[in-house]
Amino acid sequence: MDGNRLFESDGIRKTISPENSRSSIPSDAKKILSILIKNADLEMPAAVTENASSVTFTPNISSFLPTPMKMSESASAMWACIGLFASAICRERYNAGEPKRIVVDVYSATLMLCSVFLFQINGKIFTESQVAPRAIHLDRGLNRETYRNMVSNIYKTMDNRYFHLHGSLNATPTLQMLDLPEHRPDLQGNEHIEAIKDIYRAVVAKRDSMSLEVESNERWLQPGATCRTVDEYAATSHGRLNIEEPLYMIYKSQEQLPPTPWPNSQMSGRPLAGIRVLDLTKVIAGPTVTRVLALMGADVLRVSTDTQPDALPFIADGQLGKRDANINLKTSEGKRQLDDLLKEADVVVNSYRPGVFERLGLGRNWAHELARRRGKGIIYCRENCYGWKGEWSGRAGYQPISDCVTGASWEQGKFLGLDEPVMPLFPNSDSQTGLTGGIAIMQALYRRASEGGSYNVDIALNTFNNWLVREVGLHDKQTQASLRALHSGFLPRHDTGFFEMAPMVLETIKKSNGTGPGQLWDRARFTTGIIRWGVAEEEAEYLDWRRIVSVDSKAGEREVVFDLESGSCMPGSDKARWV
């Protein structure tokens, strides 16, 4: 495993580049949409699937991302499902007409996968903007320190494997495990990244992958995973169970509860207007679920706590369309506040490590009991890394861990001609797991209105990655070769970090697909809005999710409306109550 590029000598990078040698995004998106709606395990209702023929994907462009995975295509198909569910709910709630066209902008659907990197204030990303000093208290784990941040990366082990260390939102336990200093102020700044990597390379090279995996997860309760191939993962006892899990699971609880009518709303056309969503999420996947629901018109209230670290680079984009209340759930008053919110919630989304809320006495079963007492069903969605069956289901994890465990990172490395794993593009599995959660919750709400009962929804990063690699499949060899040629300067390695990779990807796709009108980076795909981060009337620019999918009725009117009620807000900006 010397990391040499395996195809440099065959000339493929230089000779294959025509766009017509790459597969069509709309064509593949249609196929993936068919996979989704025909999947018997997902049990999508006929009111959704029977209108799939109305879906159009535009513009008609070829695949362009430097990856073997069909990311643009699957994201576009997911957004089509969101449009189909939105239309079905609006027909049920507002007597809207049958959809004439459901249009997905595949460029916007692709950009949504890196939405967290596109939030800017006065032309600067959030962590480099004038707002950052006001938000610095959120980074209680000091991940802004370059040395601590770079512990989360792939390094080569003594047994010639690759291991993804991870510091989570607080790298101290991982550094203690490695017997390294907790802070290195002398190594602050990007100019020291290689020197920092050398420190971690040297330490990890003295450890075998299995001991690191067991110790990080079981002794220090930190994420960490050996990078496995797709087949290696399937051969593990956990993997054998996990690859059998469907993309998402919905199962009914409290069957005796009657149907819950859709709430009365003055906002006609908003699919989830009046639906109250309690957001117990962090980082990217969970906040994406609740942002989709906010886009559908739901009242989303996120619960944060100033006693725990938050993911500073991602938080501003993830807060769009939401309110946020600061509650310390380890206090009796905090538990009472959450109980009051649960009593009136329609949906709960929880992306904390499995067991955290159960240990607080505030778990899923308690939410269902409160729903039973009030006589009205609740939807409880939980999201994790490893899936909900198997011995690793309780482990902590993030997108890079899931990518390494399931084999996605090895597929990315092989695509680049390397005999090593490489982090896949964007927070792809994070973002698309969030989309699956939005779809599943809309489906559960649709069932609650017609069948009654409460519902559990299970989603996971691993189940998405399994679905993408195994069921959707990779690009064909010709497409992969053409994509390599298109991005010949895109040359990441196994230890290219998360925040190094993002600008590399953005730069290469700007070159390949343009910044002008009608192109990928057309400024019309972005919008501005007022934010609440400590200064009145402050504005930010961000990707406009309202443009990703649109629904036109046969009456020629826009009867399904996607919009956000508010801009981004600082955690703790609001009272712990429903409006």
Side-chain angles (χ1 to χ4, degrees), residues 65-277:
L65 294 177
T67 179
M69 286 163 271
K70 297 180 180 180
M71 295 182 181
S72 297
E73 297 80 357
S74 56
S76 297
M78 293 279 192
W79 278 103
C81 283
I82 290 170
L84 286 164
F85 270 102
S87 175
I89 291 171
C90 284
R91 295 198 306 275
E92 184 77 17
R93 291 191 70 174
Y94 309 119
N95 199 30
E98 294 288 327
K100 178 182 179 181
R101 289 197 318 159
I102 296 176
V103 181
V104 178
D105 176 6
V106 301
Y107 271 150
S108 291
T110 302
L111 289 175
M112 174 264 162
L113 300 177
C114 59
S115 185
V116 293
F117 295 115
L118 305 180
F119 189 100
Q120 294 190 345
I121 301 168
N122 290 332
K124 295 183 178 180
I125 62 173
F126 182 74
T127 52
E128 297 175 4
S129 73
Q130 74 264 22
V131 179
R134 293 176 236 146
I136 206 71
H137 63 282
L138 301 173
D139 182 26
R140 295 178 65 88
L142 301 176
N143 275 353
R144 61 187 179 276
E145 294 182 13
T146 313
Y147 167 75
R148 289 170 68 84
N149 184 274
M150 290 308 301
V151 75
S152 298
N153 207 354
I154 299 173
Y155 298 104
K156 199 170 185 178
T157 61
M158 181 175 65
D159 54 334
N160 213 31
R161 300 297 299 258
Y162 293 88
F163 187 83
H164 201 304
L165 285 173
H166 207 289
S168 190
L169 297 178
N170 180 4
T172 296
T174 302
L175 293 167
Q176 290 174 342
M177 176 184 75
L178 299 174
D179 198 23
L180 288 172
E182 294 179 16
H183 306 279
R184 287 291 302 270
D186 57 313
L187 294 176
Q188 182 64 17
N190 290 343
E191 67 272 20
H192 297 294
I193 284 178
E194 279 306 308
I196 295 169
K197 287 182 182 179
D198 283 342
I199 293 172
Y200 295 129
R201 288 171 182 139
V203 173
V204 175
K206 297 176 182 178
R207 302 285 298 272
D208 70 88
S209 57
M210 183 57 68
S211 70
L212 276 172
E213 184 164 287
V214 174
E215 186 173 352
S216 60
N217 285 280
E218 306 302 333
R219 169 63 180 85
W220 298 96
L221 304 180
Q222 288 285 82
T226 304
C227 297
R228 293 172 170 84
T229 66
V230 172
D231 290 340
E232 284 177 333
Y233 179 58
T236 66
S237 58
H238 180 87
R240 282 194 295 272
L241 290 172
N242 183 228
I243 62 175
E244 297 300 322
E245 291 187 71
L247 181 61
Y248 60 80
M249 279 287 296
I250 301 174
Y251 42 105
K252 196 173 186 181
S253 174
Q254 311 271 354
E255 295 193 14
Q256 76 280 8
L257 293 176
T260 300
W262 293 102
N264 293 325
S265 173
Q266 301 301 313
M267 297 188 294
S268 180
R270 305 291 302 281
L272 300 185
I275 295 296
R276 291 170 168 172
V277 178

Side-chain angles (χ1 to χ4, degrees), residues 362-467:
L362 298 167
R364 184 174 68 174
N365 290 341
W366 176 237
H368 280 302
E369 171 59 16
L370 291 176
R372 185 192 66 80
R373 292 180 186 182
R374 73 184 183 188
K376 173 185 169 184
I378 195 168
I379 314 300
Y380 199 107
C381 174
R382 56 182 188 172
E383 179 267 329
N384 76 351
C385 177
Y386 284 89
W388 298 97
K389 295 180 180 178
E391 62 192 283
W392 299 340
S393 60
R395 287 183 173 181
Y398 297 85
Q399 155 153 351
I401 298 297
S402 175
D403 293 342
C404 284
V405 168
T406 58
S409 294
W410 265 108
E411 294 299 333
Q412 182 69 33
K414 289 189 290 184
F415 163 80
L416 293 168
L418 296 168
D419 191 20
E420 64 188 43
V422 173
M423 182 187 304
L425 316 185
F426 305 139
N428 176 63
S429 55
D430 258 334
S431 300
Q432 296 211 54
T433 298
L435 296 181
T436 67
I439 293 166
I441 289 168
M442 293 173 77
Q443 183 172 337
L445 284 167
Y446 189 87
R447 289 183 61 183
R448 185 185 73 154
S450 59
E451 301 176 23
S454 287
Y455 293 86
N456 291 314
V457 173
D458 285 349
I459 57 173
L461 299 172
N462 278 18
T463 52
F464 170 78
N465 269 328
N466 293 335
W467 175 80

